Amino acid sequence: MTIPKKSQSNAGGPASTSQSTAVAYWTVGPCQGELRKEELPRPAEHEAVVRTLYSGISRGTELVVHEAHVPPRIAKEMRAPHQEGEFPAPVKFGYLSVGVVEEGPEDWAGQTVFCLHPHQDRYVVPLSALTRVPDDVPARRAVLTGIVEIALNALWDAGPRLGDRIAVVGGGLVGGMTAALLRRFPLERLQLLESNPRKRGFVESLGLDFVLPEDAARDCDIVFHCSATDEGLAKSLRLAGDEGEIIEMSWYGDRAVSLPLGEDFHARRLTIRASQVGVVARPRRHRRTTGERLDLAVSLLRDPVFDAFLTGESRFEDLPEAFDELANGERDELCRLVTYSKE
Protein backbone atom coordinates (compact mmCIF):
# COMPACT_ATOMS: atom_id res chain seq x y z
CA MET A 1 0.00 0.00 0.00
CA THR A 2 1.40 3.39 -0.99
CA ILE A 3 0.79 6.36 1.29
CA PRO A 4 -0.76 9.28 -0.59
CA LYS A 5 1.33 12.42 -0.47
CA LYS A 6 -1.36 14.35 1.38
CA SER A 7 -1.20 11.92 4.30
CA GLN A 8 2.58 11.72 4.60
CA SER A 9 3.07 14.67 6.96
CA ASN A 10 2.72 12.47 10.05
CA ALA A 11 4.41 9.33 8.72
CA GLY A 12 6.29 7.77 11.62
CA GLY A 13 3.99 9.31 14.29
CA PRO A 14 0.93 7.85 15.97
CA ALA A 15 -1.43 9.40 13.43
CA SER A 16 -0.07 7.27 10.59
CA THR A 17 1.17 4.10 12.22
CA SER A 18 0.80 1.96 15.30
CA GLN A 19 2.65 -0.83 17.01
CA SER A 20 1.23 -3.24 14.39
CA THR A 21 2.18 -1.20 11.30
CA ALA A 22 5.25 0.52 9.93
CA VAL A 23 6.13 2.88 7.09
CA ALA A 24 9.15 2.20 4.87
CA TYR A 25 10.82 3.80 1.86
CA TRP A 26 10.87 1.69 -1.32
CA THR A 27 12.60 2.21 -4.65
CA VAL A 28 9.85 1.28 -7.12
CA GLY A 29 11.58 2.06 -10.42
CA PRO A 30 14.57 3.93 -11.88
CA CYS A 31 14.73 7.26 -9.99
CA GLN A 32 11.34 6.57 -8.37
CA GLY A 33 10.67 6.07 -4.68
CA GLU A 34 7.68 6.06 -2.37
CA LEU A 35 6.64 5.44 1.23
CA ARG A 36 4.68 2.26 1.85
CA LYS A 37 2.75 1.09 4.89
CA GLU A 38 3.32 -2.51 5.95
CA GLU A 39 2.43 -4.88 8.75
CA LEU A 40 4.85 -5.06 11.66
CA PRO A 41 5.19 -8.61 12.99
CA ARG A 42 5.16 -9.36 16.70
CA PRO A 43 8.72 -9.87 17.99
CA ALA A 44 9.87 -13.34 18.96
CA GLU A 45 11.81 -13.98 22.16
CA HIS A 46 15.16 -13.22 20.47
CA GLU A 47 13.90 -10.10 18.67
CA ALA A 48 13.20 -6.43 19.42
CA VAL A 49 10.97 -3.66 18.13
CA VAL A 50 12.99 -0.56 17.23
CA ARG A 51 11.50 2.92 16.81
CA THR A 52 13.70 4.89 14.44
CA LEU A 53 15.14 8.25 15.45
CA TYR A 54 17.42 8.86 12.47
CA SER A 55 18.59 7.16 9.33
CA GLY A 56 21.21 8.27 6.83
CA ILE A 57 21.49 8.29 3.05
CA SER A 58 24.82 6.89 1.95
CA ARG A 59 24.83 8.87 -1.25
CA GLY A 60 27.16 6.84 -3.48
CA THR A 61 25.73 3.38 -2.85
CA GLU A 62 22.10 4.42 -2.48
CA LEU A 63 22.08 6.44 -5.68
CA VAL A 64 23.37 3.39 -7.56
CA VAL A 65 20.25 1.61 -6.26
CA HIS A 66 17.96 4.61 -6.82
CA GLU A 67 19.09 4.93 -10.45
CA ALA A 68 18.83 1.15 -11.09
CA HIS A 69 22.53 0.62 -11.79
CA VAL A 70 23.11 -2.53 -9.71
CA PRO A 71 24.64 -5.13 -12.06
CA PRO A 72 22.30 -8.16 -12.24
CA ARG A 73 25.23 -10.59 -12.00
CA ILE A 74 26.13 -9.44 -8.47
CA ALA A 75 22.67 -8.45 -7.25
CA LYS A 76 22.73 -11.24 -4.65
CA GLU A 77 26.12 -10.18 -3.27
CA MET A 78 25.06 -6.54 -2.97
CA ARG A 79 21.94 -7.16 -0.89
CA ALA A 80 21.77 -5.12 2.31
CA PRO A 81 21.30 -7.12 5.56
CA HIS A 82 17.54 -6.43 5.97
CA GLN A 83 16.70 -5.63 2.38
CA GLU A 84 13.32 -6.66 0.99
CA GLY A 85 12.53 -7.05 -2.70
CA GLU A 86 15.01 -7.52 -5.52
CA PHE A 87 17.15 -5.20 -7.62
CA PRO A 88 16.39 -3.18 -9.62
CA ALA A 89 12.88 -2.69 -8.13
CA PRO A 90 10.76 -2.75 -6.13
CA VAL A 91 13.32 -2.90 -3.35
CA LYS A 92 13.62 -1.65 0.24
CA PHE A 93 17.26 -0.70 0.66
CA GLY A 94 19.44 1.22 3.12
CA TYR A 95 21.84 0.46 5.97
CA LEU A 96 22.24 3.44 8.30
CA SER A 97 19.57 3.43 11.01
CA VAL A 98 19.56 4.53 14.66
CA GLY A 99 16.61 4.07 16.99
CA VAL A 100 15.36 3.16 20.43
CA VAL A 101 14.31 -0.34 21.49
CA GLU A 102 10.60 -0.05 22.28
CA GLU A 103 10.01 -3.70 23.02
CA GLY A 104 12.46 -6.46 23.84
CA PRO A 105 14.33 -8.14 26.71
CA GLU A 106 14.65 -6.02 29.85
CA ASP A 107 18.35 -5.30 29.33
CA TRP A 108 17.63 -3.92 25.83
CA ALA A 109 14.46 -1.89 26.49
CA GLY A 110 15.07 1.87 26.04
CA GLN A 111 18.57 1.34 24.59
CA THR A 112 19.71 3.50 21.68
CA VAL A 113 20.91 1.16 18.94
CA PHE A 114 22.40 1.16 15.46
CA CYS A 115 21.13 -1.28 12.83
CA LEU A 116 22.00 -1.97 9.20
CA HIS A 117 18.35 -1.48 8.25
CA PRO A 118 16.56 0.32 5.39
CA HIS A 119 14.70 3.61 5.93
CA GLN A 120 11.67 2.65 8.05
CA ASP A 121 9.99 4.21 11.07
CA ARG A 122 9.66 0.98 13.08
CA TYR A 123 11.04 -2.49 12.52
CA VAL A 124 11.51 -5.89 14.13
CA VAL A 125 14.96 -7.48 13.99
CA PRO A 126 16.95 -10.12 15.87
CA LEU A 127 18.89 -8.78 18.86
CA SER A 128 22.05 -9.98 17.12
CA ALA A 129 21.45 -7.32 14.42
CA LEU A 130 21.61 -4.46 16.94
CA THR A 131 24.68 -2.53 18.05
CA ARG A 132 24.40 -0.59 21.31
CA VAL A 133 25.28 3.09 20.92
CA PRO A 134 27.50 4.32 23.80
CA ASP A 135 26.00 7.03 26.01
CA ASP A 136 28.64 9.53 24.92
CA VAL A 137 27.90 9.08 21.17
CA PRO A 138 24.95 11.28 20.05
CA ALA A 139 22.23 9.36 18.21
CA ARG A 140 22.52 11.66 15.18
CA ARG A 141 26.24 10.96 14.82
CA ALA A 142 25.74 7.22 15.37
CA VAL A 143 24.05 7.07 11.94
CA LEU A 144 27.60 7.13 10.54
CA THR A 145 28.48 3.79 12.16
CA GLY A 146 28.04 1.90 8.89
CA ILE A 147 30.37 4.30 7.08
CA VAL A 148 33.03 4.03 9.79
CA GLU A 149 32.72 0.25 9.40
CA ILE A 150 33.50 0.53 5.67
CA ALA A 151 36.58 2.66 6.31
CA LEU A 152 37.73 0.48 9.21
CA ASN A 153 37.50 -2.65 7.06
CA ALA A 154 39.60 -0.97 4.36
CA LEU A 155 42.28 -0.10 6.91
CA TRP A 156 42.32 -3.73 8.02
CA ASP A 157 42.66 -4.75 4.37
CA ALA A 158 45.56 -2.37 3.76
CA GLY A 159 47.43 -2.62 7.07
CA PRO A 160 49.11 0.84 7.23
CA ARG A 161 52.52 0.84 8.88
CA LEU A 162 54.54 3.30 10.94
CA GLY A 163 55.95 6.05 8.71
CA ASP A 164 53.86 5.20 5.65
CA ARG A 165 53.11 7.70 2.90
CA ILE A 166 49.39 7.47 2.15
CA ALA A 167 46.98 9.22 -0.17
CA VAL A 168 43.19 9.08 -0.15
CA VAL A 169 41.71 10.01 -3.52
CA GLY A 170 38.20 11.47 -3.25
CA GLY A 171 36.89 13.61 -0.41
CA GLY A 172 33.35 12.24 -0.31
CA LEU A 173 31.69 10.35 2.53
CA VAL A 174 33.81 7.18 2.38
CA GLY A 175 37.06 8.91 1.37
CA GLY A 176 36.68 11.56 4.05
CA MET A 177 35.91 8.93 6.67
CA THR A 178 38.92 6.84 5.66
CA ALA A 179 41.22 9.86 5.89
CA ALA A 180 39.68 10.89 9.24
CA LEU A 181 40.56 7.49 10.71
CA LEU A 182 44.03 7.54 9.17
CA ARG A 183 44.86 10.83 10.87
CA ARG A 184 45.21 8.81 14.10
CA PHE A 185 48.11 6.81 12.60
CA PRO A 186 51.81 7.78 12.95
CA LEU A 187 52.31 8.33 9.21
CA GLU A 188 55.05 10.23 7.43
CA ARG A 189 52.48 11.74 5.06
CA LEU A 190 48.71 11.73 4.65
CA GLN A 191 47.03 13.47 1.73
CA LEU A 192 43.31 13.80 0.99
CA LEU A 193 42.92 14.61 -2.71
CA GLU A 194 39.78 16.38 -3.86
CA SER A 195 39.16 18.17 -7.15
CA ASN A 196 36.22 20.21 -5.83
CA PRO A 197 37.60 23.35 -4.13
CA ARG A 198 34.28 23.84 -2.30
CA LYS A 199 35.22 20.89 -0.07
CA ARG A 200 38.25 22.66 1.35
CA GLY A 201 36.39 23.71 4.50
CA PHE A 202 35.13 20.18 5.13
CA VAL A 203 38.58 18.64 4.65
CA GLU A 204 40.27 21.17 6.91
CA SER A 205 37.58 20.67 9.60
CA LEU A 206 38.86 17.09 9.88
CA GLY A 207 42.35 18.36 10.67
CA LEU A 208 43.63 17.38 7.22
CA ASP A 209 45.36 19.33 4.46
CA PHE A 210 43.24 19.97 1.37
CA VAL A 211 45.21 18.83 -1.70
CA LEU A 212 44.20 19.34 -5.33
CA PRO A 213 45.04 16.32 -7.53
CA GLU A 214 47.67 18.23 -9.52
CA ASP A 215 49.50 19.18 -6.30
CA ALA A 216 49.66 15.71 -4.78
CA ALA A 217 52.95 14.10 -3.80
CA ARG A 218 53.79 10.75 -5.36
CA ASP A 219 55.71 7.67 -4.19
CA CYS A 220 52.92 6.54 -1.85
CA ASP A 221 53.03 3.21 -0.05
CA ILE A 222 49.23 2.90 -0.11
CA VAL A 223 46.57 4.79 -2.05
CA PHE A 224 42.90 4.49 -1.08
CA HIS A 225 40.71 5.26 -4.08
CA CYS A 226 37.21 6.54 -3.20
CA SER A 227 36.20 8.91 -6.02
CA ALA A 228 34.28 6.39 -8.16
CA THR A 229 35.73 8.01 -11.30
CA ASP A 230 38.06 6.77 -14.03
CA GLU A 231 40.23 9.85 -13.53
CA GLY A 232 40.56 9.21 -9.81
CA LEU A 233 41.63 5.62 -10.28
CA ALA A 234 44.13 6.59 -12.99
CA LYS A 235 45.52 9.26 -10.65
CA SER A 236 45.84 6.64 -7.90
CA LEU A 237 48.07 4.55 -10.17
CA ARG A 238 50.34 7.54 -10.74
CA LEU A 239 50.54 8.32 -7.01
CA ALA A 240 51.56 4.83 -5.86
CA GLY A 241 55.26 4.15 -5.53
CA ASP A 242 56.96 1.19 -7.19
CA GLU A 243 55.19 -2.05 -6.20
CA GLY A 244 52.74 0.04 -4.17
CA GLU A 245 49.12 -0.85 -3.53
CA ILE A 246 45.85 0.81 -4.46
CA ILE A 247 42.87 -0.10 -2.28
CA GLU A 248 39.78 0.31 -4.44
CA MET A 249 36.80 1.36 -2.29
CA SER A 250 34.52 2.78 -5.01
CA TRP A 251 31.45 0.98 -6.31
CA TYR A 252 30.76 1.76 -9.97
CA GLY A 253 27.55 -0.21 -10.32
CA ASP A 254 27.04 -1.26 -13.93
CA ARG A 255 29.27 1.50 -15.34
CA ALA A 256 32.38 0.38 -17.26
CA VAL A 257 35.72 1.84 -16.19
CA SER A 258 38.52 2.87 -18.54
CA LEU A 259 42.02 2.58 -17.09
CA PRO A 260 45.54 3.06 -18.57
CA LEU A 261 46.94 -0.27 -17.43
CA GLY A 262 49.75 -0.05 -19.98
CA GLU A 263 51.43 2.77 -18.05
CA ASP A 264 52.26 2.84 -14.30
CA PHE A 265 50.30 -0.27 -13.40
CA HIS A 266 52.32 -2.68 -15.52
CA ALA A 267 55.71 -0.97 -15.60
CA ARG A 268 55.92 -0.44 -11.83
CA ARG A 269 54.30 -3.70 -10.69
CA LEU A 270 51.41 -2.06 -8.87
CA THR A 271 48.54 -3.87 -7.15
CA ILE A 272 44.86 -2.89 -7.20
CA ARG A 273 42.90 -4.61 -4.42
CA ALA A 274 39.19 -4.39 -3.74
CA SER A 275 37.90 -3.64 -0.26
CA GLN A 276 34.25 -4.45 0.35
CA VAL A 277 32.48 -4.47 3.71
CA GLY A 278 30.34 -7.58 3.12
CA VAL A 279 32.88 -9.71 5.01
CA VAL A 280 35.50 -8.88 7.61
CA ALA A 281 38.85 -8.11 5.95
CA ARG A 282 41.05 -11.19 5.59
CA PRO A 283 43.77 -10.06 8.05
CA ARG A 284 41.14 -9.92 10.87
CA ARG A 285 38.56 -12.42 9.65
CA HIS A 286 39.55 -15.23 12.01
CA ARG A 287 39.73 -12.98 15.09
CA ARG A 288 36.90 -10.42 14.61
CA THR A 289 33.21 -10.89 13.96
CA THR A 290 31.06 -8.41 12.08
CA GLY A 291 29.44 -7.56 15.42
CA GLU A 292 32.81 -6.75 16.97
CA ARG A 293 33.68 -4.62 13.94
CA LEU A 294 30.47 -2.61 14.41
CA ASP A 295 31.12 -2.22 18.15
CA LEU A 296 34.52 -0.75 17.37
CA ALA A 297 33.10 1.48 14.61
CA VAL A 298 30.46 3.09 16.83
CA SER A 299 32.98 3.62 19.63
CA LEU A 300 35.17 5.67 17.28
CA LEU A 301 32.30 8.13 16.83
CA ARG A 302 32.93 9.62 20.27
CA ASP A 303 35.04 12.18 18.38
CA PRO A 304 32.84 15.22 17.55
CA VAL A 305 34.88 15.85 14.39
CA PHE A 306 32.60 13.35 12.64
CA ASP A 307 29.65 15.75 12.85
CA ALA A 308 31.16 17.40 9.76
CA PHE A 309 29.93 14.46 7.67
CA LEU A 310 26.26 15.23 8.39
CA THR A 311 25.74 17.90 5.75
CA GLY A 312 21.99 17.85 5.08
CA GLU A 313 18.71 16.93 6.72
CA SER A 314 15.26 15.80 5.60
CA ARG A 315 12.12 14.57 7.31
CA PHE A 316 11.27 10.92 6.73
CA GLU A 317 8.01 11.84 5.03
CA ASP A 318 9.99 13.89 2.48
CA LEU A 319 12.39 11.07 1.60
CA PRO A 320 11.16 10.56 -2.01
CA GLU A 321 11.87 14.22 -2.78
CA ALA A 322 15.25 14.03 -1.00
CA PHE A 323 16.41 11.18 -3.26
CA ASP A 324 15.28 13.13 -6.32
CA GLU A 325 17.31 16.18 -5.22
CA LEU A 326 20.44 14.07 -4.67
CA ALA A 327 20.03 12.26 -8.00
CA ASN A 328 19.46 15.52 -9.90
CA GLY A 329 22.56 17.12 -8.42
CA GLU A 330 20.52 19.81 -6.67
CA ARG A 331 22.38 19.06 -3.43
CA ASP A 332 26.06 18.17 -3.08
CA GLU A 333 26.11 16.44 0.27
CA LEU A 334 28.06 13.80 2.15
CA CYS A 335 25.48 12.10 4.38
CA ARG A 336 21.86 13.30 4.39
CA LEU A 337 20.35 12.80 7.84
CA VAL A 338 16.74 11.62 7.85
CA THR A 339 14.74 12.59 10.94
CA TYR A 340 11.70 10.74 12.25
CA SER A 341 8.83 11.84 14.48
CA LYS A 342 9.70 11.32 18.15
CA GLU A 343 6.12 11.38 19.44
Coordinates of all heavy atoms in Angstrom, one line a residue, residues 80-131:
A80 N 21.6 -5.7 1.0 CA 21.8 -5.1 2.3 C 21.2 -6.1 3.3 O 20.4 -7.0 3.0 CB 21.1 -3.8 2.5
P81 N 21.7 -6.1 4.6 CA 21.3 -7.1 5.6 C 19.8 -7.3 5.7 O 19.4 -8.5 5.9 CB 21.9 -6.6 6.8 CG 23.2 -5.9 6.4 CD 22.7 -5.2 5.1
H82 N 19.0 -6.3 5.7 CA 17.5 -6.4 6.0 C 16.7 -5.9 4.8 O 15.6 -5.5 4.9 CB 17.1 -5.7 7.2 CG 17.8 -6.2 8.5 ND1 17.5 -7.4 9.1 CD2 18.9 -5.7 9.2 CE1 18.3 -7.6 10.1 NE2 19.1 -6.6 10.2
Q83 N 17.4 -6.0 3.6 CA 16.7 -5.6 2.4 C 15.5 -6.5 2.1 O 15.5 -7.7 2.4 CB 17.7 -5.7 1.2 CG 17.1 -5.5 -0.2 CD 18.2 -5.7 -1.2 OE1 19.3 -5.3 -1.1 NE2 17.8 -6.3 -2.3
E84 N 14.5 -5.9 1.5 CA 13.3 -6.7 1.0 C 13.2 -6.3 -0.5 O 13.5 -5.2 -0.9 CB 12.0 -6.3 1.8 CG 12.1 -6.8 3.2 CD 10.7 -6.6 3.9 OE1 9.7 -6.6 3.2 OE2 10.7 -6.4 5.1
G85 N 12.6 -7.3 -1.3 CA 12.5 -7.1 -2.7 C 13.8 -7.4 -3.4 O 14.8 -7.8 -2.8
E86 N 13.8 -7.2 -4.7 CA 15.0 -7.5 -5.5 C 15.4 -6.3 -6.4 O 14.6 -5.5 -6.8 CB 14.7 -8.7 -6.4 CG 14.2 -10.0 -5.7 CD 15.3 -10.6 -4.8 OE1 16.5 -10.3 -5.1 OE2 15.0 -11.3 -3.9
F87 N 16.7 -6.2 -6.7 CA 17.2 -5.2 -7.6 C 16.7 -5.6 -9.0 O 16.6 -6.7 -9.4 CB 18.7 -5.1 -7.6 CG 19.3 -4.8 -6.3 CD1 20.2 -5.6 -5.7 CD2 19.0 -3.6 -5.7 CE1 20.8 -5.3 -4.5 CE2 19.6 -3.2 -4.5 CZ 20.5 -4.1 -3.9
P88 N 16.3 -4.6 -9.9 CA 16.4 -3.2 -9.6 C 15.2 -2.6 -8.8 O 15.4 -1.6 -8.1 CB 16.4 -2.6 -11.0 CG 15.6 -3.6 -11.8 CD 15.9 -4.9 -11.3
A89 N 14.0 -3.2 -8.9 CA 12.9 -2.7 -8.1 C 11.7 -3.7 -8.3 O 11.7 -4.5 -9.2 CB 12.5 -1.3 -8.7
P90 N 10.8 -3.6 -7.3 CA 10.8 -2.7 -6.1 C 11.7 -3.3 -5.1 O 11.8 -4.6 -4.9 CB 9.3 -2.8 -5.7 CG 8.8 -4.1 -6.2 CD 9.5 -4.3 -7.5
V91 N 12.4 -2.5 -4.3 CA 13.3 -2.9 -3.3 C 13.4 -1.9 -2.2 O 13.3 -0.7 -2.4 CB 14.7 -3.0 -4.0 CG1 15.2 -1.7 -4.5 CG2 15.7 -3.6 -3.0
K92 N 13.4 -2.5 -1.0 CA 13.6 -1.6 0.2 C 15.1 -1.8 0.6 O 15.5 -2.8 1.1 CB 12.7 -2.2 1.3 CG 12.7 -1.3 2.6 CD 11.6 -1.7 3.6 CE 11.8 -3.1 4.2 NZ 10.8 -3.4 5.2
F93 N 15.8 -0.7 0.5 CA 17.3 -0.7 0.7 C 17.7 0.4 1.6 O 17.1 1.5 1.7 CB 17.9 -0.5 -0.7 CG 19.4 -0.7 -0.7 CD1 20.0 -2.0 -0.8 CD2 20.2 0.4 -0.6 CE1 21.4 -2.1 -0.8 CE2 21.6 0.3 -0.6 CZ 22.2 -1.0 -0.7
G94 N 18.8 0.2 2.2 CA 19.4 1.2 3.1 C 20.2 0.5 4.2 O 19.9 -0.7 4.5
Y95 N 21.1 1.2 4.9 CA 21.8 0.5 6.0 C 22.4 1.4 7.1 O 23.4 1.0 7.7 CB 23.0 -0.3 5.3 CG 23.9 0.4 4.4 CD1 25.0 1.1 4.9 CD2 23.6 0.5 3.1 CE1 25.9 1.8 4.1 CE2 24.5 1.3 2.2 CZ 25.6 1.9 2.7 OH 26.4 2.6 1.9
L96 N 21.8 2.5 7.2 CA 22.2 3.4 8.3 C 21.0 3.9 9.1 O 20.3 4.8 8.8 CB 22.9 4.7 7.7 CG 24.1 4.4 6.8 CD1 24.6 5.8 6.2 CD2 25.3 3.8 7.5
S97 N 20.8 3.2 10.2 CA 19.6 3.4 11.0 C 19.9 3.4 12.5 O 20.6 2.5 13.0 CB 18.5 2.4 10.7 OG 17.3 2.6 11.5
V98 N 19.4 4.4 13.2 CA 19.6 4.5 14.7 C 18.2 4.7 15.3 O 17.4 5.5 14.8 CB 20.5 5.7 15.0 CG1 20.5 5.9 16.6 CG2 21.9 5.5 14.5
G99 N 17.9 4.0 16.3 CA 16.6 4.1 17.0 C 16.7 3.7 18.4 O 17.8 3.5 19.0
V100 N 15.5 3.5 19.0 CA 15.4 3.2 20.4 C 14.6 1.9 20.5 O 13.6 1.7 19.8 CB 14.6 4.2 21.2 CG1 14.3 3.8 22.7 CG2 15.4 5.5 21.3
V101 N 15.0 0.9 21.3 CA 14.3 -0.3 21.5 C 13.0 -0.1 22.3 O 13.1 0.3 23.5 CB 15.2 -1.4 22.2 CG1 14.4 -2.7 22.5 CG2 16.4 -1.7 21.4
E102 N 11.9 -0.2 21.6 CA 10.6 0.0 22.3 C 10.1 -1.3 23.0 O 9.4 -1.2 24.0 CB 9.5 0.4 21.2 CG 9.6 1.8 20.8 CD 8.4 2.2 20.1 OE1 7.8 1.4 19.3 OE2 8.0 3.4 20.2
E103 N 10.5 -2.4 22.4 CA 10.0 -3.7 23.0 C 11.1 -4.8 22.8 O 11.6 -4.9 21.7 CB 8.7 -4.1 22.3 CG 8.1 -5.3 23.0 CD 6.7 -5.7 22.3 OE1 6.2 -4.8 21.6 OE2 6.2 -6.8 22.6
G104 N 11.4 -5.4 23.9 CA 12.5 -6.5 23.8 C 12.8 -6.9 25.2 O 12.2 -6.5 26.2
P105 N 13.9 -7.7 25.4 CA 14.3 -8.1 26.7 C 14.6 -6.9 27.6 O 15.0 -5.9 27.1 CB 15.6 -8.9 26.4 CG 15.4 -9.4 25.0 CD 14.7 -8.3 24.3
E106 N 14.5 -7.1 28.9 CA 14.7 -6.0 29.8 C 16.0 -5.3 29.7 O 16.0 -4.0 29.8 CB 14.5 -6.6 31.3 CG 14.5 -5.5 32.3 CD 14.3 -6.1 33.7 OE1 14.0 -7.3 33.8 OE2 14.5 -5.3 34.7
D107 N 17.1 -6.0 29.4 CA 18.4 -5.3 29.3 C 18.5 -4.6 28.0 O 19.5 -3.9 27.8 CB 19.5 -6.3 29.5 CG 19.5 -7.4 28.5 OD1 18.4 -7.7 28.0 OD2 20.6 -8.0 28.2
W108 N 17.6 -4.7 27.1 CA 17.6 -3.9 25.8 C 16.6 -2.8 25.8 O 16.8 -1.8 25.0 CB 17.4 -4.9 24.7 CG 18.6 -5.7 24.3 CD1 18.9 -6.9 24.7 CD2 19.6 -5.3 23.3 NE1 20.0 -7.4 24.2 CE2 20.5 -6.4 23.3 CE3 19.8 -4.2 22.5 CZ2 21.6 -6.4 22.5 CZ3 21.0 -4.2 21.7 CH2 21.8 -5.3 21.7
A109 N 15.5 -2.9 26.6 CA 14.5 -1.9 26.5 C 15.0 -0.5 26.8 O 15.7 -0.3 27.7 CB 13.4 -2.2 27.5
G110 N 14.6 0.5 25.9 CA 15.1 1.9 26.0 C 16.5 2.2 25.5 O 16.9 3.3 25.6
Q111 N 17.2 1.1 25.1 CA 18.6 1.3 24.6 C 18.6 2.0 23.2 O 17.7 1.7 22.4 CB 19.3 0.0 24.5 CG 19.6 -0.6 25.8 CD 20.8 0.1 26.5 OE1 21.8 0.3 25.9 NE2 20.6 0.4 27.8
T112 N 19.5 2.9 23.0 CA 19.7 3.5 21.7 C 20.6 2.5 20.9 O 21.7 2.1 21.4 CB 20.4 4.9 21.8 OG1 19.5 5.7 22.5 CG2 20.6 5.5 20.4
V113 N 20.2 2.2 19.7 CA 20.9 1.2 18.9 C 21.1 1.6 17.5 O 20.4 2.4 16.9 CB 20.1 -0.2 19.0 CG1 20.1 -0.8 20.4 CG2 18.7 0.0 18.4
F114 N 22.2 1.0 16.9 CA 22.4 1.2 15.5 C 22.0 -0.2 14.8 O 22.3 -1.2 15.4 CB 23.9 1.5 15.2 CG 24.2 1.4 13.7 CD1 24.0 2.5 12.9 CD2 24.7 0.3 13.1 CE1 24.2 2.5 11.5 CE2 25.0 0.2 11.8 CZ 24.8 1.4 11.0
C115 N 21.5 -0.1 13.6 CA 21.1 -1.3 12.8 C 21.3 -1.0 11.3 O 21.1 0.1 10.8 CB 19.7 -1.7 13.1 SG 19.2 -3.3 12.3
L116 N 21.8 -2.0 10.7 CA 22.0 -2.0 9.2 C 20.6 -2.2 8.5 O 20.4 -3.3 7.9 CB 23.0 -3.0 8.8 CG 24.5 -2.7 9.3 CD1 25.3 -4.0 9.1 CD2 25.1 -1.6 8.5
H117 N 19.7 -1.3 8.7 CA 18.3 -1.5 8.2 C 17.9 -0.4 7.3 O 18.4 0.7 7.4 CB 17.4 -1.4 9.5 CG 16.1 -2.0 9.2 ND1 15.1 -1.4 8.5 CD2 15.6 -3.3 9.5 CE1 14.0 -2.1 8.4 NE2 14.3 -3.3 9.0
P118 N 17.1 -0.7 6.3 CA 16.6 0.3 5.4 C 15.8 1.4 6.1 O 15.5 1.3 7.3 CB 15.6 -0.5 4.5 CG 16.1 -1.9 4.5 CD 16.6 -2.1 6.0
H119 N 15.4 2.5 5.4 CA 14.7 3.6 5.9 C 13.3 3.2 6.3 O 12.5 2.9 5.4 CB 14.7 4.7 4.9 CG 16.0 5.1 4.4 ND1 16.9 5.9 5.1 CD2 16.7 4.8 3.2 CE1 18.0 6.1 4.4 NE2 17.9 5.4 3.2
Q120 N 13.0 3.1 7.6 CA 11.7 2.7 8.1 C 11.4 3.2 9.5 O 12.4 3.2 10.3 CB 11.6 1.1 8.0 CG 10.3 0.5 8.4 CD 10.3 -1.0 8.0 OE1 10.8 -1.4 7.0 NE2 9.7 -1.8 8.9
D121 N 10.2 3.6 9.8 CA 10.0 4.2 11.1 C 10.0 3.3 12.3 O 10.3 3.6 13.4 CB 8.7 5.1 11.0 CG 7.5 4.3 10.8 OD1 7.5 3.1 10.5 OD2 6.4 4.9 10.9
R122 N 9.6 2.0 12.1 CA 9.7 1.0 13.1 C 10.0 -0.3 12.4 O 9.6 -0.6 11.3 CB 8.3 0.8 13.8 CG 8.1 1.9 14.9 CD 6.8 1.6 15.7 NE 6.6 2.4 16.8 CZ 6.1 3.6 16.9 NH1 5.7 4.1 15.7 NH2 6.0 4.3 18.0
Y123 N 10.7 -1.2 13.1 CA 11.0 -2.5 12.5 C 11.3 -3.5 13.6 O 11.6 -3.1 14.8 CB 12.2 -2.4 11.5 CG 13.4 -1.7 12.0 CD1 14.4 -2.3 12.7 CD2 13.6 -0.3 11.7 CE1 15.6 -1.6 13.2 CE2 14.7 0.4 12.2 CZ 15.7 -0.3 12.9 OH 16.8 0.4 13.3
V124 N 11.2 -4.8 13.2 CA 11.5 -5.9 14.1 C 12.7 -6.6 13.6 O 12.7 -7.0 12.4 CB 10.3 -6.8 14.2 CG1 10.6 -8.1 15.1 CG2 9.1 -6.1 14.8
V125 N 13.7 -6.8 14.4 CA 15.0 -7.5 14.0 C 15.5 -8.3 15.1 O 15.2 -8.1 16.3 CB 16.1 -6.5 13.6 CG1 15.7 -5.7 12.3 CG2 16.4 -5.5 14.7
P126 N 16.3 -9.3 14.8 CA 17.0 -10.1 15.9 C 17.9 -9.2 16.7 O 18.4 -8.3 16.2 CB 17.8 -11.2 15.1 CG 17.1 -11.2 13.7 CD 16.6 -9.9 13.5
L127 N 18.0 -9.5 18.0 CA 18.9 -8.8 18.9 C 20.3 -8.8 18.3 O 21.1 -7.8 18.5 CB 18.8 -9.4 20.3 CG 17.5 -9.3 21.0 CD1 17.5 -10.1 22.3 CD2 17.2 -7.8 21.3
S128 N 20.7 -9.9 17.7 CA 22.1 -10.0 17.1 C 22.3 -8.9 16.0 O 23.5 -8.7 15.7 CB 22.3 -11.4 16.6 OG 21.4 -11.7 15.5
A129 N 21.3 -8.3 15.5 CA 21.4 -7.3 14.4 C 21.6 -5.9 15.0 O 21.9 -5.0 14.2 CB 20.2 -7.3 13.5
L130 N 21.5 -5.8 16.3 CA 21.6 -4.5 16.9 C 23.0 -4.2 17.6 O 23.6 -5.1 18.1 CB 20.5 -4.3 18.0 CG 19.1 -4.5 17.5 CD1 18.1 -4.4 18.7 CD2 18.7 -3.4 16.5
T131 N 23.4 -3.0 17.4 CA 24.7 -2.5 18.1 C 24.3 -1.4 19.0 O 23.7 -0.4 18.7 CB 25.7 -2.0 17.0 OG1 26.0 -3.0 16.1 CG2 26.9 -1.5 17.6

